[in-house]
Coordinates of all heavy atoms in Angstrom, one line a residue:
M1 N -36.2 -10.4 36.9 CA -35.5 -9.3 36.3 C -35.6 -9.4 34.8 O -35.9 -8.4 34.1 CB -34.1 -9.2 36.8 CG -33.3 -8.0 36.2 SD -34.0 -6.5 36.7 CE -32.8 -5.4 36.3
R2 N -35.4 -10.6 34.3 CA -35.4 -10.8 32.8 C -36.8 -10.5 32.3 O -37.0 -9.9 31.2 CB -35.0 -12.2 32.5 CG -34.9 -12.5 31.1 CD -34.4 -13.9 30.8 NE -34.2 -14.0 29.4 CZ -33.4 -14.8 28.8 NH1 -32.5 -15.5 29.5 NH2 -33.3 -14.9 27.5
R3 N -37.9 -10.9 33.0 CA -39.2 -10.6 32.6 C -39.5 -9.1 32.5 O -40.2 -8.6 31.6 CB -40.2 -11.3 33.6 CG -41.7 -11.2 33.1 CD -42.6 -11.8 34.0 NE -42.3 -13.3 34.1 CZ -43.0 -14.1 34.8 NH1 -44.0 -13.7 35.6 NH2 -42.7 -15.4 34.8
V4 N -39.0 -8.4 33.5 CA -39.2 -6.9 33.5 C -38.5 -6.3 32.3 O -39.1 -5.4 31.6 CB -38.6 -6.3 34.8 CG1 -38.6 -4.8 34.7 CG2 -39.4 -6.8 36.0
L5 N -37.3 -6.7 31.9 CA -36.6 -6.2 30.7 C -37.4 -6.6 29.5 O -37.5 -5.7 28.6 CB -35.2 -6.8 30.7 CG -34.3 -6.2 31.7 CD1 -32.9 -6.9 31.7 CD2 -34.1 -4.7 31.6
T6 N -38.0 -7.8 29.4 CA -38.7 -8.2 28.2 C -40.0 -7.3 28.1 O -40.3 -6.8 27.0 CB -39.1 -9.7 28.3 OG1 -37.9 -10.4 28.5 CG2 -39.9 -10.1 27.1
V7 N -40.7 -7.1 29.2 CA -41.9 -6.2 29.2 C -41.5 -4.8 28.8 O -42.2 -4.2 28.0 CB -42.6 -6.3 30.5 CG1 -43.7 -5.2 30.6 CG2 -43.2 -7.6 30.8
L8 N -40.4 -4.3 29.3 CA -39.9 -2.9 28.9 C -39.6 -2.8 27.5 O -40.0 -1.9 26.8 CB -38.7 -2.6 29.8 CG -38.2 -1.2 29.6 CD1 -39.2 -0.1 29.9 CD2 -37.0 -1.0 30.5
A9 N -38.9 -3.8 26.9 CA -38.6 -3.8 25.5 C -39.8 -3.9 24.6 O -39.9 -3.2 23.6 CB -37.6 -5.0 25.2
L10 N -40.8 -4.7 25.0 CA -42.0 -4.8 24.2 C -42.8 -3.5 24.3 O -43.3 -3.0 23.3 CB -42.9 -5.9 24.7 CG -42.4 -7.3 24.4 CD1 -43.3 -8.4 25.1 CD2 -42.5 -7.5 22.9
T11 N -42.8 -2.9 25.5 CA -43.5 -1.6 25.6 C -42.9 -0.5 24.7 O -43.6 0.2 24.0 CB -43.5 -1.2 27.1 OG1 -44.1 -2.2 27.9 CG2 -44.2 0.2 27.3
L12 N -41.6 -0.5 24.7 CA -40.9 0.5 23.9 C -41.1 0.2 22.4 O -41.4 1.2 21.6 CB -39.4 0.5 24.2 CG -39.0 1.1 25.5 CD1 -37.5 0.9 25.8 CD2 -39.4 2.6 25.6
A13 N -41.1 -1.0 22.0 CA -41.3 -1.4 20.6 C -42.8 -1.0 20.2 O -43.0 -0.5 19.1 CB -41.1 -2.9 20.4
L14 N -43.7 -1.3 21.0 CA -45.1 -1.0 20.7 C -45.4 0.5 20.7 O -46.1 1.0 19.8 CB -46.1 -1.7 21.7 CG -46.2 -3.2 21.6 CD1 -47.1 -3.7 22.7 CD2 -46.8 -3.6 20.2
S15 N -44.7 1.2 21.5 CA -44.9 2.7 21.5 C -44.4 3.3 20.2 O -45.0 4.2 19.7 CB -44.3 3.4 22.7 OG -42.9 3.3 22.7
G16 N -43.3 2.7 19.7 CA -42.8 3.1 18.4 C -43.7 2.8 17.3 O -43.9 3.6 16.4
C17 N -44.4 1.7 17.4 CA -45.3 1.3 16.3 C -46.5 2.2 16.4 O -47.0 2.7 15.4 CB -45.8 -0.1 16.5 SG -44.5 -1.4 16.2
V18 N -47.0 2.5 17.6 CA -48.2 3.4 17.8 C -47.8 4.8 17.2 O -48.6 5.4 16.5 CB -48.6 3.5 19.2 CG1 -49.6 4.5 19.5 CG2 -49.2 2.1 19.7
Q19 N -46.6 5.3 17.5 CA -46.2 6.6 17.0 C -46.2 6.6 15.5 O -46.7 7.5 14.9 CB -44.8 6.9 17.5 CG -44.7 7.5 18.9 CD -45.4 8.8 18.9 OE1 -46.6 8.9 19.0 NE2 -44.6 9.8 19.0
G20 N -45.7 5.5 14.9 CA -45.7 5.4 13.4 C -47.1 5.4 12.8 O -47.3 6.0 11.8
I21 N -48.0 4.7 13.5 CA -49.4 4.6 13.0 C -50.0 6.0 13.1 O -50.7 6.5 12.2 CB -50.2 3.5 13.8 CG1 -49.6 2.1 13.4 CG2 -51.7 3.7 13.5 CD1 -50.1 1.0 14.3
A22 N -49.8 6.6 14.3 CA -50.4 7.9 14.5 C -49.9 9.0 13.5 O -50.6 9.7 12.9 CB -50.2 8.4 15.9
R23 N -48.6 8.9 13.2 CA -47.9 9.8 12.3 C -48.5 9.6 10.9 O -48.9 10.6 10.2 CB -46.4 9.6 12.3 CG -45.7 10.7 11.5 CD -44.2 10.5 11.6 NE -43.7 10.4 12.9 CZ -43.2 9.3 13.5 NH1 -43.2 8.2 12.9 NH2 -42.8 9.4 14.8
G24 N -48.7 8.4 10.5 CA -49.3 8.0 9.2 C -50.7 8.5 9.1 O -51.2 9.0 8.0
R25 N -51.5 8.4 10.2 CA -52.9 8.9 10.2 C -53.0 10.4 10.1 O -53.8 10.9 9.4 CB -53.6 8.4 11.4 CG -54.0 6.9 11.3 CD -54.9 6.5 12.4 NE -56.2 7.2 12.3 CZ -57.2 7.0 13.0 NH1 -57.2 6.1 13.9 NH2 -58.4 7.7 12.9
V26 N -52.1 11.1 10.8 CA -52.1 12.5 10.7 C -51.7 13.0 9.3 O -52.3 13.9 8.7 CB -51.1 13.1 11.8 CG1 -50.9 14.6 11.6 CG2 -51.6 12.8 13.2
K27 N -50.7 12.4 8.8 CA -50.3 12.7 7.4 C -51.4 12.5 6.4 O -51.7 13.3 5.6 CB -49.0 11.9 7.0 CG -48.6 12.2 5.6 CD -47.4 11.3 5.2 CE -47.2 11.4 3.7 NZ -46.5 10.3 3.1
S28 N -52.1 11.3 6.5 CA -53.2 11.0 5.6 C -54.3 12.1 5.8 O -54.9 12.5 4.8 CB -53.7 9.6 5.9 OG -52.8 8.7 5.5
A29 N -54.6 12.5 7.0 CA -55.6 13.5 7.3 C -55.3 14.8 6.6 O -56.1 15.5 6.1 CB -55.9 13.6 8.8
L30 N -54.0 15.2 6.7 CA -53.6 16.4 6.1 C -53.6 16.4 4.6 O -54.1 17.3 4.0 CB -52.1 16.8 6.6 CG -52.0 17.1 8.1 CD1 -50.5 17.1 8.5 CD2 -52.7 18.4 8.5
V31 N -53.2 15.3 4.0 CA -53.4 15.1 2.6 C -54.8 15.1 2.2 O -55.2 15.8 1.2 CB -52.7 13.8 2.1 CG1 -53.0 13.5 0.7 CG2 -51.2 13.9 2.3
G32 N -55.7 14.5 2.9 CA -57.1 14.5 2.7 C -57.7 15.8 2.8 O -58.8 16.1 2.2
A33 N -57.1 16.7 3.6 CA -57.6 18.0 3.8 C -57.1 19.0 2.7 O -57.4 20.2 2.7 CB -57.2 18.6 5.2
G34 N -56.3 18.4 1.8 CA -55.9 19.2 0.6 C -54.5 19.7 0.6 O -54.1 20.4 -0.3
L35 N -53.6 19.3 1.6 CA -52.2 19.7 1.6 C -51.4 18.7 0.8 O -51.8 17.6 0.6 CB -51.7 19.8 3.0 CG -52.4 20.8 3.9 CD1 -51.8 20.7 5.3 CD2 -52.3 22.2 3.4
S36 N -50.3 19.2 0.3 CA -49.4 18.4 -0.5 C -48.7 17.3 0.4 O -48.7 17.4 1.6 CB -48.2 19.2 -1.1 OG -47.3 19.6 -0.1
E37 N -48.3 16.2 -0.2 CA -47.7 15.1 0.4 C -46.4 15.5 1.3 O -46.3 15.2 2.5 CB -47.3 14.0 -0.6 CG -46.9 12.7 -0.1 CD -48.0 11.8 0.2 OE1 -49.1 12.0 -0.4 OE2 -47.8 10.8 0.9
P38 N -45.5 16.3 0.7 CA -44.3 16.7 1.5 C -44.7 17.6 2.7 O -44.1 17.4 3.8 CB -43.4 17.4 0.5 CG -43.9 17.1 -0.8 CD -45.3 16.7 -0.7
V39 N -45.6 18.5 2.5 CA -45.9 19.4 3.6 C -46.7 18.6 4.7 O -46.4 18.8 5.9 CB -46.8 20.6 3.1 CG1 -47.4 21.3 4.3 CG2 -46.0 21.5 2.3
S40 N -47.5 17.7 4.3 CA -48.3 16.8 5.2 C -47.3 16.0 6.0 O -47.5 15.8 7.3 CB -49.3 15.9 4.5 OG -50.2 16.7 3.8
A41 N -46.3 15.4 5.4 CA -45.3 14.5 6.1 C -44.6 15.4 7.2 O -44.4 14.9 8.3 CB -44.4 13.9 5.1
C42 N -44.2 16.6 6.8 CA -43.4 17.4 7.7 C -44.3 17.8 8.9 O -43.9 17.7 10.0 CB -42.9 18.7 6.9 SG -42.1 19.9 8.0
M43 N -45.5 18.3 8.6 CA -46.4 18.7 9.7 C -46.7 17.6 10.6 O -46.8 17.8 11.8 CB -47.6 19.3 9.1 CG -47.4 20.7 8.5 SD -48.8 21.5 7.9 CE -49.8 21.8 9.4
A44 N -47.0 16.4 10.1 CA -47.3 15.2 10.9 C -46.2 15.0 11.9 O -46.5 14.6 13.1 CB -47.5 14.0 10.0
E45 N -44.9 15.1 11.5 CA -43.8 14.9 12.4 C -43.9 15.8 13.6 O -43.6 15.5 14.7 CB -42.5 15.2 11.7 CG -42.0 14.1 10.8 CD -41.6 12.8 11.5 OE1 -41.0 13.0 12.6 OE2 -41.9 11.7 11.1
H46 N -44.3 17.1 13.4 CA -44.3 18.1 14.4 C -45.6 18.0 15.3 O -45.6 18.4 16.4 CB -44.2 19.5 13.8 CG -42.9 19.7 13.2 ND1 -41.7 19.9 13.9 CD2 -42.6 19.8 11.9 CE1 -40.7 20.1 13.0 NE2 -41.2 20.0 11.8
M47 N -46.7 17.4 14.7 CA -48.0 17.5 15.4 C -48.3 16.2 16.2 O -49.0 16.3 17.2 CB -49.1 17.7 14.4 CG -49.0 19.0 13.7 SD -50.1 19.2 12.2 CE -51.7 19.4 13.1
V48 N -47.8 15.1 15.8 CA -48.3 13.8 16.4 C -48.0 13.7 17.9 O -48.8 13.2 18.6 CB -47.7 12.6 15.6 CG1 -46.2 12.4 15.9 CG2 -48.5 11.4 15.9
D49 N -46.9 14.3 18.4 CA -46.6 14.2 19.8 C -47.3 15.2 20.6 O -47.3 15.1 21.9 CB -45.1 14.4 20.0 CG -44.3 13.3 19.3 OD1 -44.8 12.2 19.1 OD2 -43.1 13.5 19.0
K50 N -47.9 16.2 20.0 CA -48.4 17.3 20.8 C -49.9 17.4 20.9 O -50.5 18.1 21.7 CB -47.9 18.6 20.1 CG -46.4 18.8 20.2 CD -45.9 19.9 19.4 CE -44.4 20.0 19.4 NZ -43.7 19.0 18.8
L51 N -50.6 16.5 20.1 CA -52.1 16.6 20.2 C -52.6 15.2 20.7 O -52.0 14.2 20.5 CB -52.6 16.9 18.7 CG -52.3 18.2 18.2 CD1 -52.8 18.3 16.7 CD2 -52.8 19.4 19.0
T52 N -53.8 15.3 21.3 CA -54.5 14.1 21.8 C -55.1 13.4 20.6 O -55.3 14.0 19.5 CB -55.5 14.4 22.8 OG1 -56.6 15.2 22.2 CG2 -54.9 15.2 24.0
I53 N -55.6 12.1 20.8 CA -56.3 11.4 19.8 C -57.6 12.1 19.4 O -57.9 12.2 18.3 CB -56.6 10.0 20.3 CG1 -55.3 9.2 20.6 CG2 -57.5 9.2 19.4 CD1 -54.5 8.9 19.4
S54 N -58.3 12.7 20.4 CA -59.5 13.4 20.1 C -59.2 14.6 19.2 O -60.0 14.9 18.3 CB -60.1 13.9 21.5 OG -61.2 14.7 21.2
Q55 N -58.1 15.3 19.5 CA -57.8 16.5 18.7 C -57.4 16.1 17.3 O -57.8 16.7 16.3 CB -56.6 17.3 19.4 CG -57.1 18.0 20.6 CD -55.9 18.6 21.4 OE1 -54.8 17.9 21.5 NE2 -56.1 19.7 22.0
L56 N -56.7 15.0 17.2 CA -56.3 14.5 15.9 C -57.5 14.1 15.1 O -57.6 14.3 13.8 CB -55.3 13.3 16.0 CG -53.9 13.7 16.6 CD1 -53.1 12.5 16.8 CD2 -53.2 14.7 15.7
R57 N -58.5 13.5 15.7 CA -59.7 13.1 15.0 C -60.5 14.4 14.5 O -61.1 14.3 13.5 CB -60.6 12.3 16.0 CG -60.1 10.9 16.1 CD -61.1 10.0 16.8 NE -60.6 8.6 16.8 CZ -60.5 7.9 17.9 NH1 -61.0 8.4 19.1 NH2 -60.0 6.7 17.9
Q58 N -60.4 15.4 15.3 CA -61.0 16.7 14.8 C -60.4 17.1 13.5 O -61.0 17.6 12.6 CB -61.0 17.8 15.9 CG -61.8 17.5 17.1 CD -61.6 18.6 18.1 OE1 -60.5 19.0 18.4 NE2 -62.7 18.9 18.8
L59 N -59.1 17.0 13.5 CA -58.3 17.4 12.2 C -58.7 16.5 11.1 O -58.8 16.9 9.9 CB -56.8 17.4 12.5 CG -56.3 18.5 13.4 CD1 -54.8 18.2 13.6 CD2 -56.5 19.8 12.8
E60 N -58.9 15.2 11.3 CA -59.3 14.3 10.3 C -60.6 14.7 9.6 O -60.9 14.4 8.5 CB -59.4 12.9 10.8 CG -58.1 12.2 11.1 CD -58.3 10.8 11.6 OE1 -59.2 10.5 12.4 OE2 -57.5 9.9 11.2
A61 N -61.5 15.4 10.4 CA -62.8 15.8 9.8 C -62.7 17.0 8.8 O -63.7 17.3 8.2 CB -63.7 16.2 11.0
L62 N -61.5 17.6 8.7 CA -61.3 18.7 7.8 C -61.0 18.3 6.4 O -60.1 18.9 5.8 CB -60.3 19.7 8.4 CG -60.5 20.3 9.7 CD1 -59.3 21.1 10.2 CD2 -61.8 21.2 9.6
Q63 N -61.7 17.4 5.9 CA -61.4 16.9 4.5 C -61.8 18.0 3.5 O -62.8 18.8 3.8 CB -62.2 15.6 4.2 CG -61.8 14.5 5.2 CD -60.3 14.1 5.1 OE1 -59.8 13.8 4.0 NE2 -59.6 14.2 6.2
G64 N -61.2 18.1 2.4 CA -61.5 19.1 1.4 C -60.7 19.1 0.2 O -59.8 18.3 0.1
P65 N -60.9 20.0 -0.7 CA -60.2 20.1 -2.0 C -58.8 20.6 -1.7 O -58.5 21.1 -0.6 CB -61.0 21.1 -2.8 CG -61.6 22.0 -1.8 CD -62.0 21.1 -0.6
K66 N -57.9 20.5 -2.7 CA -56.5 21.1 -2.6 C -56.6 22.5 -2.1 O -57.4 23.3 -2.6 CB -55.8 21.0 -3.9 CG -54.4 21.4 -3.9 CD -53.5 20.4 -4.4 CE -52.1 20.8 -4.4 NZ -51.4 20.6 -3.2
R67 N -55.8 22.8 -1.1 CA -55.8 24.2 -0.6 C -54.4 24.6 -0.1 O -53.6 23.7 0.1 CB -56.8 24.3 0.6 CG -56.5 23.4 1.8 CD -57.5 23.6 2.9 NE -58.7 22.8 2.7 CZ -59.5 22.6 3.7 NH1 -59.3 23.0 4.9 NH2 -60.6 21.8 3.5
S68 N -54.2 25.8 0.0 CA -52.9 26.3 0.5 C -52.8 26.0 2.0 O -53.8 25.8 2.7 CB -52.8 27.8 0.2 OG -53.6 28.5 1.1
L69 N -51.6 26.1 2.5 CA -51.3 25.9 3.9 C -52.0 27.0 4.7 O -52.6 26.7 5.7 CB -49.8 25.9 4.1 CG -49.3 25.5 5.5 CD1 -49.9 24.1 5.8 CD2 -47.8 25.4 5.5
F70 N -52.0 28.2 4.2 CA -52.7 29.3 4.9 C -54.2 29.0 5.0 O -54.8 29.2 6.1 CB -52.5 30.6 4.2 CG -53.2 31.8 4.8 CD1 -52.8 32.4 6.0 CD2 -54.4 32.2 4.3 CE1 -53.4 33.4 6.5 CE2 -55.1 33.3 4.8 CZ -54.6 33.9 6.0
D71 N -54.8 28.5 3.9 CA -56.2 28.2 3.9 C -56.5 27.1 4.9 O -57.5 27.0 5.6 CB -56.7 27.8 2.5 CG -56.8 29.0 1.6 OD1 -56.8 30.2 2.1 OD2 -56.7 28.8 0.4
Y72 N -55.6 26.1 5.0 CA -55.8 25.0 5.9 C -55.8 25.5 7.4 O -56.6 25.1 8.2 CB -54.7 23.9 5.7 CG -54.9 22.8 6.7 CD1 -55.9 21.9 6.6 CD2 -54.0 22.6 7.8 CE1 -56.1 20.9 7.5 CE2 -54.2 21.6 8.7 CZ -55.2 20.7 8.6 OH -55.4 19.7 9.5
V73 N -54.8 26.3 7.7 CA -54.7 26.9 9.1 C -56.0 27.7 9.4 O -56.5 27.6 10.5 CB -53.5 27.7 9.3 CG1 -53.5 28.4 10.6 CG2 -52.2 26.9 9.1
M74 N -56.5 28.4 8.4 CA -57.8 29.1 8.6 C -58.9 28.1 8.9 O -59.8 28.4 9.7 CB -58.1 30.0 7.4 CG -57.2 31.2 7.2 SD -57.3 32.4 8.6 CE -55.8 32.1 9.5
A75 N -58.9 27.0 8.2 CA -60.0 26.0 8.4 C -59.9 25.4 9.8 O -60.9 25.1 10.4 CB -59.9 24.9 7.3
V76 N -58.6 25.2 10.2 CA -58.4 24.6 11.6 C -59.0 25.5 12.6 O -59.5 25.1 13.7 CB -56.9 24.4 11.8 CG1 -56.6 24.0 13.3 CG2 -56.4 23.2 10.9
R77 N -59.0 26.8 12.4 CA -59.6 27.8 13.4 C -61.0 27.5 13.7 O -61.5 27.8 14.8 CB -59.4 29.2 12.9 CG -58.0 29.6 12.8 CD -57.8 31.0 12.4 NE -58.4 31.9 13.4 CZ -58.6 33.2 13.2 NH1 -58.4 33.7 12.0 NH2 -59.1 33.9 14.2
R78 N -61.7 26.8 12.7 CA -63.2 26.5 13.0 C -63.3 25.5 14.1 O -64.4 25.4 14.7 CB -63.8 25.9 11.7 CG -64.0 27.0 10.6 CD -64.8 26.4 9.5 NE -64.5 25.1 9.0 CZ -63.9 24.8 7.9 NH1 -63.6 25.8 7.0 NH2 -63.7 23.6 7.5
I79 N -62.3 24.7 14.4 CA -62.3 23.7 15.5 C -62.5 24.4 16.8 O -63.1 23.9 17.7 CB -61.1 22.8 15.4 CG1 -61.1 21.9 14.2 CG2 -61.0 21.9 16.7 CD1 -59.9 21.1 14.0
Q80 N -62.0 25.6 16.9 CA -62.1 26.4 18.1 C -61.4 25.8 19.3 O -61.9 25.9 20.5 CB -63.5 26.8 18.4 CG -64.2 27.6 17.4 CD -65.6 28.1 17.7 OE1 -66.2 27.6 18.6 NE2 -66.1 29.0 16.9
D81 N -60.3 25.1 19.1 CA -59.5 24.5 20.1 C -58.1 25.2 20.1 O -57.4 25.0 19.1 CB -59.3 23.0 19.9 CG -58.5 22.4 21.0 OD1 -57.6 23.0 21.6 OD2 -58.7 21.2 21.3
P82 N -57.8 26.1 21.0 CA -56.6 26.9 20.9 C -55.3 26.1 20.8 O -54.4 26.5 20.1 CB -56.6 27.7 22.3 CG -58.0 27.7 22.7 CD -58.6 26.4 22.2
E83 N -55.3 24.9 21.4 CA -54.1 24.1 21.4 C -54.0 23.5 19.9 O -52.8 23.5 19.4 CB -54.2 22.9 22.4 CG -53.0 22.0 22.4 CD -51.8 22.7 23.0 OE1 -51.9 23.8 23.5 OE2 -50.7 22.1 22.9
V84 N -55.0 23.1 19.3 CA -55.0 22.6 17.9 C -54.5 23.7 17.0 O -53.7 23.4 16.1 CB -56.3 22.0 17.5 CG1 -56.3 21.6 16.0 CG2 -56.7 20.8 18.3
I85 N -55.1 24.8 17.2 CA -54.7 26.0 16.3 C -53.2 26.3 16.5 O -52.5 26.5 15.5 CB -55.6 27.2 16.6 CG1 -57.0 26.9 16.3 CG2 -55.1 28.4 15.9 CD1 -58.0 27.9 16.9
R86 N -52.8 26.4 17.8 CA -51.4 26.7 18.0 C -50.4 25.7 17.4 O -49.4 26.0 16.8 CB -51.1 26.8 19.6 CG -49.7 27.3 19.9 CD -49.5 27.1 21.4 NE -49.4 25.7 21.9 CZ -48.4 24.9 21.7 NH1 -47.4 25.2 20.9 NH2 -48.5 23.7 22.1
V87 N -50.7 24.4 17.7 CA -49.8 23.3 17.2 C -49.8 23.3 15.6 O -48.7 23.2 15.0 CB -50.2 22.0 17.8 CG1 -49.5 20.8 17.1 CG2 -50.0 21.9 19.3
T88 N -51.0 23.5 15.0 CA -51.1 23.4 13.6 C -50.3 24.6 13.0 O -49.5 24.5 12.0 CB -52.5 23.5 13.1 OG1 -53.2 22.3 13.7 CG2 -52.6 23.4 11.6
A89 N -50.5 25.8 13.5 CA -49.8 27.0 13.0 C -48.3 26.9 13.2 O -47.6 27.3 12.3 CB -50.4 28.2 13.7
A90 N -47.9 26.4 14.3 CA -46.4 26.2 14.6 C -45.9 25.2 13.6 O -44.8 25.4 13.0 CB -46.2 25.8 16.0
A91 N -46.5 24.1 13.4 CA -46.0 23.1 12.4 C -46.0 23.6 11.0 O -45.0 23.4 10.3 CB -46.9 21.8 12.5
A92 N -47.0 24.4 10.7 CA -47.0 25.0 9.3 C -45.9 26.0 9.2 O -45.2 25.9 8.1 CB -48.4 25.7 9.1
G93 N -45.6 26.8 10.2 CA -44.5 27.7 10.1 C -43.2 27.0 10.0 O -42.3 27.4 9.2
L94 N -43.0 26.0 10.8 CA -41.7 25.3 10.8 C -41.5 24.6 9.4 O -40.4 24.6 8.9 CB -41.7 24.2 11.9 CG -41.5 24.8 13.3 CD1 -41.8 23.7 14.3 CD2 -40.2 25.4 13.5
C95 N -42.5 24.0 8.9 CA -42.4 23.3 7.6 C -42.2 24.2 6.5 O -41.5 23.9 5.5 CB -43.6 22.4 7.4 SG -43.7 21.0 8.6
M96 N -42.9 25.4 6.5 CA -42.7 26.4 5.4 C -41.3 27.0 5.5 O -40.8 27.4 4.5 CB -43.8 27.4 5.5 CG -45.1 26.9 5.1 SD -45.2 26.0 3.5 CE -44.8 27.3 2.4
S97 N -40.7 27.1 6.7 CA -39.4 27.7 6.8 C -38.3 26.7 6.4 O -37.1 27.0 6.3 CB -39.2 28.1 8.2 OG -39.0 27.0 9.1
G98 N -38.7 25.4 6.2 CA -37.7 24.4 5.9 C -37.1 23.7 7.1 O -36.1 22.9 6.9
W99 N -37.5 24.0 8.3 CA -36.9 23.4 9.4 C -37.4 22.0 9.6 O -38.6 21.7 9.6 CB -37.3 24.2 10.7 CG -36.5 23.8 11.9 CD1 -35.2 24.2 12.2 CD2 -36.9 22.8 12.9 NE1 -34.9 23.6 13.4 CE2 -35.9 22.7 13.8 CE3 -38.1 22.1 13.1 CZ2 -35.9 21.9 14.9 CZ3 -38.1 21.3 14.2 CH2 -37.1 21.2 15.1
E100 N -36.5 21.1 9.6 CA -36.9 19.6 9.8 C -36.5 19.2 11.2 O -35.5 19.7 11.8 CB -36.2 18.8 8.7 CG -36.6 19.1 7.3 CD -38.0 18.6 7.0 OE1 -38.4 17.5 7.5 OE2 -38.7 19.3 6.2
R101 N -37.1 18.2 11.7 CA -36.8 17.6 13.0 C -35.5 16.9 12.9 O -35.1 16.3 12.1 CB -37.9 16.6 13.3 CG -38.2 16.6 14.8 CD -39.3 15.7 15.1 NE -40.4 16.4 15.6 CZ -41.2 16.0 16.5 NH1 -41.1 14.8 17.0 NH2 -42.2 16.7 17.0

């Protein structure tokens, strides 16, 4: 029983670390795509749990100069993945409205 609890505790700790790493990568990708640091941090919070690693990698490829949030969402449309577009647009809307998690 003790071994099961130890494994469970380690699993939970590692999943938290993975979440933190994924959140950081999403934020970095958004900053690299031209969004501001605060907007990127906010959007990463909303996006990391909803997209797959493959989808997040597609977003990482959208590097570019500083751009508005609207311009970024328009760039995301080029990915042609409805889920990525939906999640990105929803995160943008929530972050622009000031809604925090």
Side-chain angles (χ1 to χ4, degrees):
M1 180 65 165
R2 186 176 183 149
R3 185 179 297 180
V4 171
L5 291 175
T6 302
V7 169
L8 181 60
L10 285 173
T11 301
L12 290 174
L14 287 176
S15 69
C17 291
V18 170
Q19 279 292 79
I21 291 168
R23 190 176 304 109
R25 284 191 62 176
V26 173
K27 179 184 169 200
S28 294
L30 294 170
V31 169
L35 298 178
S36 71
E37 191 88 19
V39 169
S40 297
C42 177
M43 287 181 66
E45 282 291 321
H46 295 288
M47 295 170 75
V48 73
D49 296 336
K50 295 171 181 69
L51 298 175
T52 66
I53 297 298
S54 174
Q55 290 170 323
L56 294 172
R57 285 193 178 126
Q58 289 176 323
L59 289 175
E60 283 181 325
L62 294 176
Q63 302 300 302
K66 181 124 178 89
R67 60 178 87 163
S68 71
L69 192 52
F70 177 79
D71 290 337
Y72 178 73
V73 173
M74 291 296 108
V76 169
R77 292 181 69 195
R78 290 192 314 251
I79 294 174
Q80 297 183 348
D81 180 330
E83 184 69 8
V84 173
I85 296 166
R86 185 190 66 74
V87 169
T88 302
L94 289 170
C95 293
M96 291 308 294
S97 73
W99 190 84
E100 296 287 326
R101 216 177 243 219

